[in-house]
Amino acid sequence: MSEFREAVIDLDAVQANVAHLRSLIGTRHTMAVVKANGYGHGAVPVARAALAGGADWLGVADITEALALRAAGIDAPLLAWLHGPDADFAAAIAADIDLGLSSALQVRQAAAAATLLGRPAAVQIKLETGLNRNGVDESDWPEVLGLAAAFERVGRLRVRGVFSHLANTSAEDDLAAIASFDRGLDAAVTAGLTVDLAHLASTAAALRLPAARYTMVRLGIGIYGQSPFDDEDAAALGLTAAMTLRGRVAAVRRVAAGAGVSYDYLWRATTDTTLALVPLGYADGVPRQAMNTARVAINGTQYPVVGRVAMDQFLVDVDSDPVAVGDVVVLFGDAAAGVPTAAEWGAAAGTINYDIVTRVGSRVPRRYVGALAENTAGASAVDAAGVPHADAAESAGA
Ligand SMILES: Cc1ncc(COP(=O)(O)O)c(C=O)c1O
C-alpha cells in the first residue's frame, strides 16, 4: 500500500538522464547539481544515481549541503559556491569540499582556514560574467586571481579552476558572457594559475551552446528529467521525469449545480458533478496559484483542479466518473505515463518546473524506486505512472 501522499523518485531515471546528457554533451567532466535537497528529490540518493550515470563532480550551493553529502558517505569531488560571512571554510576543507570563491576576502578566509588546518584548500574562483550575482568583477580579476596564485605558491590554496554562471537570457547575452569568461581564463593564466576545470554552462547552455561547455558542465534540471526550455519539452530532449507526485483520493462528494467550492467560492459547479478531495496542499508545495488551471490524473483521466488550493488539500472536478476514496491521484510525473508534467503545473501557476519539483514539502515522503533505490530488497518495480506493482518492494526515505 503506498502513501496517502508521496513523491516517488525514480533513481534509474536520474542515472539514465545523466548518461544521456553526457552522451549529448561530451565534456571531460560532468557536475551533477544536487543543491536544495536535489531539487526536492533527495540530495543523497540523487547524488548516488548521478554518479552511477557518469557524473564525476557534485555541486551544491552551501557548505552545509556539502557536509550532509559527506556525512552520508559520498566521497566524490564536490563544490560549494555560496557562502555567508561566517561560512565554515575549515569544516569544508577538512571534508575535502572545494570552495567556490567570489571575492578577495573569501580567498583570504580560505587561505587562513587552510593555514589553521595545516592543509591546502581546494578552491575554484567564481568570475562575474554578466549575471551580477556573486563572482569577482572583471576589474578585480588581476588582484583576486593574483592573490589566489600567491597563496597557491606557498601551499595554502590549490586553485583547481575558474567558473561562472549564465543568465540564459538570449544567445546574444550568453555569447557575451562566454567572451567575458574567455577573458577570465586568460587572466587566470596571466596570474600564473593552471586552470584544470573551467565551467560556465548549466543544462540549457550545455545542450544548446557548445561554446559554453569548456571542460565541465553543471547539470541540474536535466538530470531530474525536466527541460530547461519553454520550446522543447523533456521527452523531446530524451529525458525522463524522475519525480512523480501523487496521493490518494481522501473523499468524494456529489454536489449540485451552483455549489461553491473551497475557500472564497472562487469556483462554482456549473452542473451537478462529483468532487474528489486530494490530500496535498500548499504546505506540500502545491502552488496556490494553480487553482482552476492545473490538472491531475486519476485512473488514466486528467481532471481540473477547482477552487482554492488549501494548506493540506484541494478539490478536483471528476464529473460523473466513478472515482473512489483511495484511488491514486497523480499531480505530475513523466508525460509518457499520460499524466500532467511539472512543466504544465509550472505554466498553470505562473512559474517554472524547477520551482514545482523543488518546493515539494517535507511532509511528503520520498519513496525511491529503481535498481539504485536505498533500503530495497530487490528492484521496486513501478509502472510508468509511479504506481508500484503488487510485488514491489518499497522504501520510504527522507
Ligand atoms: C551556479 C549554478 N550552476 C548550475 C546550476 C544548474 O542549473 P540547471 O538546473 O539549469 O541545470 C545552478 C542552478 O541554479 C546554479 O546555481
Side-chain angles (χ1 to χ4, degrees):
M1 180 69 181
S2 66
E3 293 278 347
F4 188 47
R5 57 175 85 86
E6 65 177 0
V8 179
I9 312 296
D10 182 351
L11 296 177
D12 286 352
V14 174
Q15 180 178 356
N17 290 333
V18 172
H20 175 62
L21 290 166
R22 270 173 50 78
S23 74
L24 294 178
I25 294 162
T27 41
R28 182 146 51 89
H29 299 284
T30 306
M31 177 182 286
V33 178
V34 296
K35 62 192 172 119
N37 195 28
Y39 289 39
H41 295 64
V44 170
V46 164
R48 291 211 172 98
L51 293 167
D56 59 345
W57 273 85
L58 299 172
V60 291
D62 305 356
I63 290 171
T64 310
E65 297 178 301
L67 291 171
L69 292 170
R70 288 287 184 255
I74 292 176
D75 58 8
L78 175 53
L79 174 68
W81 55 69
L82 184 61
H83 317 293
D86 302 322
D88 193 348
F89 283 180
I93 298 164
D96 274 326
I97 294 161
D98 276 40
L99 294 167
L101 302 178
S102 289
S103 66
L105 177 63
Q106 289 185 349
V107 169
R108 290 184 200 284
Q109 288 172 330
T115 305
L116 278 177
L117 285 175
R119 56 182 283 192
V123 304
Q124 302 182 34
I125 308 296
K126 186 162 189 200
L127 306 177
E128 162 53 32
T129 58
L131 189 58
N132 284 310
R133 301 201 309 202
N134 59 358
V136 183
D137 276 334
E138 183 157 355
S139 56
D140 297 330
W141 289 349
E143 179 207 342
V144 177
L145 294 168
L147 187 64
F151 281 125
E152 185 165 65
R153 282 195 295 276
V154 295
R156 297 284 185 264
L157 299 184
R158 180 172 167 225
V159 184
R160 228 196 285 258
V162 298
F163 70 110
S164 188
H165 193 44
L166 292 169
N168 296 326
T169 303
S170 67
E172 193 187 15
D173 288 308
D174 286 347
L175 289 173
I178 288 172
S180 168
F181 192 62
D182 286 339
R183 292 194 298 278
L185 292 176
D186 289 344
V189 171
T190 303
L193 296 170
T194 305
V195 179
D196 183 30
L197 295 173
H199 46 112
L200 179 62
S202 56
T203 305
L207 285 169
R208 287 203 178 159
L209 215 51
R213 289 176 184 160
Y214 297 95
T215 60
M216 179 159 77
V217 292
R218 300 185 306 270
L219 303 180
I221 200 72
I223 74 170
Y224 304 98
Q226 302 289 335
S227 171
F229 305 122
D230 291 336
D231 59 355
E232 197 173 13
D233 66 16
L237 294 171
L239 301 171
T240 303
M243 181 188 288
T244 300
L245 183 64
R246 17 175 282 162
R248 286 183 179 267
V249 172
V252 173
R253 173 180 310 281
R254 191 79 191 148
V255 294
V261 168
S262 192
Y263 295 127
D264 305 327
Y265 288 174
L266 295 176
W267 186 85
R268 285 180 187 273
T270 49
T271 57
D272 295 356
T273 193
T274 303
L275 303 174
L277 184 68
V278 181
L280 291 102
Y282 59 78
D284 306 301
V286 178
R288 207 164 164 263
Q289 298 80 352
M291 169 183 66
N292 299 344
T293 45
R295 302 177 75 78
V296 303
I298 306 176
N299 303 329
T301 302
Q302 295 197 12
Y303 299 103
V305 172
V306 293
R308 274 237 191 272
V309 173
M311 188 182 291
D312 313 301
Q313 51 200 290
F314 64 86
L315 288 151
V316 175
D317 179 9
V318 298
D319 200 351
S320 291
D321 289 353
V323 170
V325 170
D327 284 355
V328 171
V329 185
V330 177
L331 283 76
F332 59 81
D334 193 69
V339 299
T341 62
E344 287 166 345
W345 271 82
T351 183
I352 52 176
N353 50 0
Y354 291 68
D355 182 14
I356 296 296
V357 294
T358 305
R359 67 194 293 162
V360 172
S362 57
R363 189 169 66 174
V364 180
R366 272 59 168 176
R367 181 162 61 85
Y368 295 96
V369 300
L372 287 164
E374 292 176 313
N375 308 324
T376 41
S380 57
V382 292
D383 68 19
V387 179
H389 298 163
D391 61 346
E394 298 183 7
S395 73

